[in-house]
Amino acid sequence: MCGIVGYTGPKEAYPIVITGLKRLEYRGYDSTGVALLNSGLKVYKKKGRVAELEESILGKDLHAHTGIGHTRWATHGEPSDRNAHPHTSASGKLAMIHNGIIENYAQLKKELGNKGYVFTSDTDTEVLLNFIEDIKENNQCDLEEAVRVALKRVTGAYVILLLDADSPDTIIAARKGSPLVIGVGKGEHFLGSDASPMLEYTKEVVYVNDYELAIVRPNELILKNLGNEKITPFVTKLDMELAEIEKGGYDHFMLKEIFEQPSTIHDCLRGRLDATAGTITMSGIQNNIEHFKNAQRIIMVACGTSWHAALLAEYIIEELCRIPVEVEYASEFRYRNPIVNKGDIIVAISQSGETADTLVAIERAKENGAIIFGVVNVVGSSIARISDGGAYTHAGPEIGVASTKAFTGQLAVLIMMALKIAKEKGTISDERYKNLLLELDAVPEKVNAILKNADALKAIALKYKGASDALYLGRGYNFPIALEGALKLKEISYIHAEGYPAAEMKHGPIALVDENLPVVFIATKDSYHEKIVSNIQEIKARKGKVIAVITEGDEIIPGMADDVFYIPEADEIIAPMLSTIPMQLLSYYVGIAKGVDVDKPRNLAKSVTVE
Ligand code: F6R
């Protein structure tokens, strides 16, 4: 949450910073601001999107070779011009941007208030900035030292970038809990919440770690810990191209990402799954295979859509591997007192690899001796780096706020994991194993077939776009898909939606059913088919409108549902990878029909780096 960008070098800073902010807008879009350093500080900031700031400062003096920029997801203080970053210190000499939350800001604010400081915003950022300036003045030290002293007193999470009017080519940066990447160019440096702002300039990056401080100048990158000891920057080569973060002719990133799924799933399986030879190669699992085989249980931690992937993995791993699985919301797990023993396996699932709750949850578990296995999309992200082993989902950059291709990537990885462990443990028959490998291999082609029929979902979306509520029902392996379908609809169409196990609806939600309520059934041919047919009857008996996602060749449900959408036949363990695609498309088309900015729906941000 919140995107930060910085540049120092021979080029004009503003175009790099503003383009970088557009790429990071998925992280928050409540307000935008830039600070430019050129014989003094110039700060321009405004409530609203990056494009609005850009337009409002056309013609202003934007010349500078050092600059920082911020796109905000509001935490402390409503979205407004005065709460927008960068903030300037009381002396006007320092400017700072921040991603994270300073938890003890109220105490610091009180102390500074007693010294006569007056604040112009409601943010924790302005408090931290003045705290730093206060230390600098009272201790008569340089800014770097003042930052170090201040950060030792701060609790919470942060990435900060600081400019000092007296050091015209220097950016001071520090991180704890929120992501920071520094791009290393020739005589220039780039800073970003991720690597997207620097992609066309350099592929060499340094991922800054927690409790590290960077002093960044055009020809110099000094990395230190908070004890003032120097650290050698570890330069990594980026494996990402600019085209991957552009819309490529689609109206929205979300649509592009939905349609990319045949190739992203294929990329995820490639080099791992060999259906003909009957093998799955996953070094992360192989290196820990004895732990997995002997595990008394696996705990999965995740949030949101990634949590839904975990829930499906629970069903599949318990079925195929006979290992008990517990699925935990990371935000609950980190604060309760869970029983985690040495050698327990914790699987952390995250697209961004930066979700604060998931990150802290696994840090805690690691302290107790658990083995952390990361299923992560963003290469080099914090969760990937602290995991003991893992498997990347290889879905490529996901920019639309609603997760789509990362989810199917997670499912592909988790299913491969389950199959590999089951095979090693001997809990799956050879025949079932081979068949599931072939089924998994066929998923990209089947997803392609579903996408070719997307217009049918557009028509259904137009019919129901006026609904105020919706119910999503599924059983067994399709229950997590019902939850995911409801989440997708809520976040990008603002229609209230609930996902339930289809049989559970009789215990309460059925009271909502009337002739105005659309009920989406995920009712593919599986061991629950007859049962879910009965559930459809129960809804129809109460005049609910039934939209059913069913398997090609189903001759029963079309006779009772108001609308049906067919998907290709697949084994019940694999079918959720297919049935989730119509959920994504339905939400997309409803969102578009309602005029929602589906890539940046209100109140949301892509990477939730605050708890
Ligand atoms: C929903 C969505 C969110 C994320 C959640 C976890 O479409 O994208 O619910 O799934 O914020 O994020 P990651 O996977 O990055 O940890």
Side-chain angles (χ1 to χ4, degrees), residues 19 50 54 135 141 193 242 262 330 359 371 402 461 464 479 496 600 602:
T19 307
V50 180
E54 196 180 15
I135 293 171
C141 60
S193 300
L242 196 56
L359 188 55
I371 296 159
Y464 295 102
F479 162 52
H496 166 238
K600 300 188 194 84
R602 70 184 177 208

Side-chain angles (χ1 to χ4, degrees), residues 303-307 349-355 358 383 398 401-404 410 484 487-488 491 605-608:
C303 304
T305 289
S306 299
W307 189 91
I349 307 173
S350 175
Q351 186 286 125
S352 61
E354 301 293 348
T355 300
T358 310
I383 293 174
E398 191 180 65
V401 161
S403 189
T404 53
Q410 290 167 345
E484 175 59 8
L487 177 65
K488 286 282 95 80
E491 60 185 340
K606 182 77 186 157
S607 187
V608 185

Side-chain angles (χ1 to χ4, degrees), residues 227-374:
N228 200 19
E229 291 159 336
K230 278 198 179 172
I231 299 163
T232 310
F234 180 73
V235 180
T236 314
K237 209 143 195 100
L238 277 178
D239 180 22
M240 198 197 284
E241 296 303 326
L242 196 56
E244 290 181 63
I245 57 161
E246 287 171 343
K247 279 194 201 143
Y250 285 90
D251 288 345
H252 299 96
F253 281 111
M254 182 177 176
L255 193 62
K256 176 186 174 223
E257 287 157 7
I258 292 173
F259 274 82
E260 276 174 348
Q261 288 175 109
S263 66
T264 54
I265 298 169
H266 180 263
D267 288 348
C268 179
L269 303 176
R270 194 177 51 192
R272 291 170 167 163
L273 176 80
D274 186 337
T276 323
T279 55
I280 292 174
T281 311
M282 293 175 93
S283 57
I285 299 285
Q286 198 58 50
N287 297 341
N288 292 290
I289 197 66
E290 289 310 313
H291 289 299
F292 277 107
K293 273 167 71 178
N294 300 320
Q296 295 306 303
R297 63 171 178 168
I298 293 174
I299 304 171
M300 302 215 159
V301 290
C303 304
T305 289
S306 299
W307 189 91
H308 298 151
L311 192 60
L312 183 59
E314 175 190 4
Y315 283 38
I316 296 174
I317 292 174
E318 292 201 343
E319 164 72 22
L320 298 183
C321 313
R322 308 310 296 155
I323 302 172
V325 177
E326 290 165 29
V327 179
E328 297 269 0
Y329 288 110
S331 54
E332 290 296 313
F333 185 76
R334 64 179 282 194
Y335 282 115
R336 63 187 191 81
N337 192 9
I339 301 165
V340 179
N341 299 318
K342 192 165 182 324
D344 275 351
I345 296 177
I346 311 279
V347 177
I349 307 173
S350 175
Q351 186 286 125
S352 61
E354 301 293 348
T355 300
D357 285 323
T358 310
L359 188 55
V360 178
I362 58 177
E363 279 168 359
R364 297 273 148 80
K366 207 173 163 134
E367 282 160 16
N368 286 353
I371 296 159
I372 312 295
F373 191 86

